[in-house]
Amino acid sequence: MGKYQARKNDPAGQASKSRSNGGSRSDSASKPKDRKGTLLRLIRYSANYKYIMIFALFLCLISNVMALTGPVLAGRAIAEAEAGAGQVNFERVFYYARLMLIFYVASSLITLVINFIMMNVGRRIGEQMRTDVFNKLMKLPVRYFDQNAAGDIISHVSYDIDVTCVCISTDLTQIMTSVVTVVGSLAMMIYISPPLTLTMVITIPLATYYTKHMSGITRPLFSRRSASYGAMNGYVEEIFSGQKTVLAYAQEDTFLNHFEEYNQEATESFRRANYYGMSMGPTVGSINNLGLALIGILGSLLYMGGAVTLEHISSFVLYSRKFSGPINEIANVITQIFSALSAAERVFHILDETEEIPDKENAAVLTDVRGDVKIQDVSFGYDPQKTIIHHFSLDADAGKLIAIVGPTGAGKTTIINLLMRFYDVNEGQIFVDQKEIRDVTRETLRRAYAMVLQDTWLFNGTIYENIAYGKEGATREEVIAVAKAAKIHHYIMLLPDGYDTVIGEDGGNISKGQKQLLTIARAMLYDARMLILDEATSNVDTGTERQIQAAMRELMSDKTCFVIAHRLSTIQNADRILVVDQGNIVEQGTHKELIAQKGFYYKLYASQFE
C-alpha cells in the first residue's frame, strides 16, 4: 500500500553507514555507467566558472614552471661547488640558493591561491547542485518517495554531492599539477641526458604496474571494510534503539555474542585492508629508490666519460623524483574520479526523474471551498497491472464526517492519496464542489485540506511555531485556543518556557501522544474546509481521544472530515461509515445501521470487544 509520506529512516543509522562508506572513498570501485554524459553535465555546471578555472590553470602553469626551475638552480649551485676545495664561489652558490628558495616559496604561495580558488568553485557548484536537487525533490510525485528510502535520498543530497565537490576542488587541481609536472620533468630529463632518461623506462612501468595491481586488490578490501563497519554500526544502532526490550527479555549476552561476530569481522576487514594499503607506500618507495640507484650507476659512468656533469646528475635526480611522484598517484586519482563521476551520476538520476504531471494549462483555482466531495466510479492501482480500488463511489456533503474502516491493506489510505491527488485515478472522476480535481491546481486543492497523520512530524522550533506552522500570522490567542481544544495546553504550561519552549527535531523527548496532540492542534488552526485524519489519535488514550473528537466536531462542524480509524469506538458518531475491503465498499451507513445489519462491520466491531 502506497504512503503519502516518505518512509521514515533513522538518520543516525544512515549517517553511520554513510560515514563508514565514505571514509576511505573505497566504495568508488564501481564505475559510472554513462561516464561521458556525466562528465559533460559536470562541465556544464562548471561553465559559470570557466574564466576563473582558466585563470587557475594559468596559475598552475606558472606555479609548476617555478617548481621545475628549482632543480636547475640546485644544479647550478652544485656546479659552482664543483671547482674544488678553496675554489668554491660561495657568492654564486648563495645566489642560486636564494633564487631556488624564492621560486619554491612563490610556487607554494601560488598553489595555495589555486587551492583556495578551486575550493571556492567546488563549494559554489555543490551549493548549486544541492539547490537543484532540493527544488527537483519538491516537484517529484509522491510515488518517488514511496519507492525510495528517505535515507538514500539524503545520502545523494549530502554525501554524493560532497564527493563530487571534493573531486572538483581537490582532484582536478591534482590532475592539472600532475600533468604539468610529469610533462615538464620528462622534457627536462630528456634535455639534460637522454641516456639517463632510459632508467625511467625500467622503474616507472614497474611502479605503475604495481600500483595498479595493488589498487585492484585493495579497493575490494576497503569496500569490504566499509561494509563491515556499516553492518556493525547498524547492528549497534538497532540494539540501542531497542535497549529496553533487550533488558526486559534479559538478552544481553545473546546480543553481546552477536556483536562480537560483527566486531571480529570489522577487525579482520580493517587488518586486511590496511595491511595491503600500508604496504603500497614503502614498496613504491623502494622501486623509486631502485631508480635512484640506477641513475647513480649510469650517471657515474657517464660522468667518468665526460658525457654529463655533477650539475646534470643532481638536477636529473630531482626531476626524476618530481616525475615519479605523480605517475604513482595516477591510479588513486583515477579511482577518485570514478568515485566522483559515480556520485554525480546518482545525483543526476534524481534530476532526471519524471516530475509530477503539471497542472492543465487552464487549470482553475479552487476558491471559496464548501467541502462537497464526490467520488464517481473510481478504479486505481499503484501498479497499473494490479487494480486495488474497484469502481469506488462516494458522496460526501459539506460538513459531514465520513469514517473509512476496514482491515489492513483494504485501500483506506489509497482513498486519501486519491483525494489529495498524490496519485491520479486510473479510471473515474473525483469532484470537489462540482469541479473535477484534475481540472484545478494541485496547490489550491491540497490547501483545501488539513491533514493529521499517524506518523507525527514536528520541526526544530518552539511549540508555538509548530502549532502555528500551517497558518501564516497566527496569533498567540488562536494557538492557545486550539491547544486547549486539543487537550495539550495544560502540558505546555508545565514546560519551562511554555509556548516558547524549543523542542528538538521530531519532538525530542516529548511522548508520542503529546506530539500527536500538537499536530492535531496544528490541523485545528489551519484554515481549511476539509480535514483528513489518518489514525490521528492512535497514540492517545481512549478518554483523551473522545474529548478531542468532541472538540474537533465543535470547532469543525462546518467542515468535511475524512477519518481513517482502526479503533471503531472512536467513529460511532460519524455521519457515514464506509467499510472497505479489497478496494471495494462492502457496506456503508451509520454505526447503528451497520451494527443492525450484522455484516462485515459488525464482525470488525465485535472482534474489538470480544
Side-chain angles (χ1 to χ4, degrees), residues 41-178:
R41 295 183 70 169
L42 279 177
I43 291 175
R44 284 198 290 269
Y45 263 100
S46 306
N48 294 332
Y49 312 99
K50 58 184 177 183
Y51 294 115
I52 193 170
M53 293 179 73
I54 291 173
F55 178 66
L57 177 60
F58 174 72
L59 290 180
C60 183
L61 289 172
I62 295 176
S63 173
N64 280 275
V65 168
M66 286 184 171
L68 290 171
T69 306
V72 174
L73 296 174
R76 296 283 176 84
I78 292 175
E80 294 294 336
E82 193 178 1
Q87 302 178 25
V88 177
N89 188 345
F90 284 104
E91 183 179 350
R92 297 295 294 174
V93 171
F94 290 140
Y95 169 75
Y96 288 122
R98 284 195 300 270
L99 279 181
M100 185 168 59
L101 180 62
I102 291 172
F103 273 77
Y104 278 135
V105 170
S107 175
S108 298
L109 291 176
I110 293 175
T111 301
L112 185 63
V113 173
I114 295 170
N115 290 337
F116 177 79
I117 291 174
M118 295 307 297
M119 180 189 67
N120 195 44
V121 169
R123 177 182 63 82
R124 291 185 178 182
I125 291 175
E127 181 181 16
Q128 184 61 51
M129 291 182 73
R130 279 188 289 270
T131 300
D132 291 346
V133 171
F134 191 83
N135 289 339
K136 181 71 175 186
L137 291 173
M138 295 297 100
K139 299 176 183 178
L140 292 180
V142 172
R143 184 186 301 275
Y144 176 81
F145 298 97
D146 287 343
Q147 297 173 349
N148 295 273
D152 292 336
I153 298 172
I154 293 171
S155 177
H156 297 326
V157 176
S158 58
Y159 174 70
D160 286 338
I161 292 180
D162 284 345
V163 170
T164 304
C165 295
V166 167
C167 176
I168 294 173
S169 60
T170 303
D171 298 339
L172 194 58
T173 305
Q174 185 176 356
I175 290 172
M176 294 189 299
T177 302
S178 298

Side-chain angles (χ1 to χ4, degrees), residues 327-455:
I327 290 292
N328 296 330
E329 291 295 326
I330 287 177
N332 291 331
V333 172
I334 290 176
T335 298
Q336 292 168 3
I337 291 174
F338 282 150
S339 172
L341 290 177
S342 298
E345 189 174 51
R346 291 190 290 270
V347 174
F348 292 144
H349 280 165
I350 295 180
L351 295 177
D352 292 337
E353 287 288 339
T354 303
E355 296 182 3
E356 196 168 40
I357 299 174
D359 295 327
K360 291 183 177 180
E361 186 175 351
N362 298 318
V365 175
L366 199 59
T367 58
D368 298 324
V369 179
R370 296 187 306 275
D372 290 315
V373 178
K374 182 177 181 180
I375 302 176
Q376 183 175 309
D377 197 30
V378 162
S379 296
F380 173 77
Y382 295 103
D383 181 352
Q385 306 300 323
K386 186 179 180 181
T387 302
I388 57 177
I389 299 293
H390 308 277
H391 304 289
F392 182 86
S393 296
L394 166 69
D395 287 327
D397 296 330
K400 298 297 183 181
L401 173 59
I402 308 298
I404 306 173
V405 301
T408 301
K412 302 184 297 297
T413 299
T414 302
I415 296 172
I416 303 304
N417 284 338
L418 298 177
L419 287 173
M420 297 283 289
R421 269 201 83 188
F422 291 137
Y423 291 85
D424 282 327
V425 300
N426 300 135
E427 298 178 12
Q429 296 175 303
I430 300 177
F431 297 88
V432 173
D433 293 348
Q434 288 77 51
K435 294 180 181 179
E436 217 283 335
I437 62 174
R438 286 172 292 188
D439 294 332
V440 301
T441 63
R442 282 190 180 86
E443 181 181 359
T444 56
L445 172 67
R446 292 170 183 172
R447 284 185 177 274
Y449 288 93
M451 179 180 286
V452 181
L453 307 174
Q454 181 178 6
D455 295 327

